Amino acid sequence: MITYDDFQKVDIRVGVITRAEPFPEARKPAIKLWVDFGSDIGEKRSSAQLTRHYTPEALIGRQVVAVVNFPPRQIGKVLSEVLVLGVPDAEGEVVLLTPDQTVPLGGRMF
């Protein structure tokens, strides 16, 4: 079991997807994402296996929740700087976690 102090070490913020492109080089179908977290954090890149429920065009302007304090990770040709969060549906396909109302960019989950 973790403590609340452990949980607070994970920096989970809200950002908006500003750009999304297919990522055909990925081993599993994925989309490259650029997410703006506001002036304090800025725009960060990621990739996510979202192709079952989302198209790149439909992702633009969508607010998402992401972990912003993991070290960058190389995913194929993309250096993923944040982990965009989602949960699997009944078939195991990713569904994004998003605020149910528009909130300020960079807002921290607590």
Side-chain angles (χ1 to χ4, degrees):
M1 209 175 272
I2 68 170
T3 67
Y4 186 73
D5 288 339
D6 292 332
F7 175 72
Q8 285 204 293
K9 292 176 185 175
V10 181
D11 193 357
I12 301 172
R13 305 279 181 136
V14 172
V16 65
I17 297 173
T18 58
R19 186 172 153 199
E21 298 176 357
F23 188 13
E25 305 90 0
R27 279 185 278 145
K28 293 184 178 182
I31 298 174
K32 293 185 269 188
L33 303 172
W34 287 257
V35 184
D36 181 7
F37 293 94
S39 60
D40 288 346
I41 297 171
E43 187 175 77
K44 301 291 181 180
R45 290 178 29 157
S46 189
S47 80
Q49 297 171 2
L50 303 172
T51 58
R52 179 73 175 268
H53 294 296
Y54 308 96
T55 64
E57 300 79 22
L59 290 167
I60 306 299
R62 180 183 290 267
Q63 285 196 322
V64 293
V65 178
V67 176
V68 299
N69 67 335
F70 284 152
R73 183 174 176 197
Q74 194 72 42
I75 310 289
K77 294 182 180 182
V78 173
L79 183 62
S80 183
E81 301 172 289
V82 297
L83 175 64
V84 176
L85 300 177
V87 294
D89 66 11
E91 286 81 40
E93 299 293 335
V94 177
V95 176
L96 288 170
L97 292 179
T98 62
D100 66 355
Q101 296 181 29
T102 302
V103 296
L105 296 183
R108 185 170 183 175
M109 190 190 88
F110 58 93

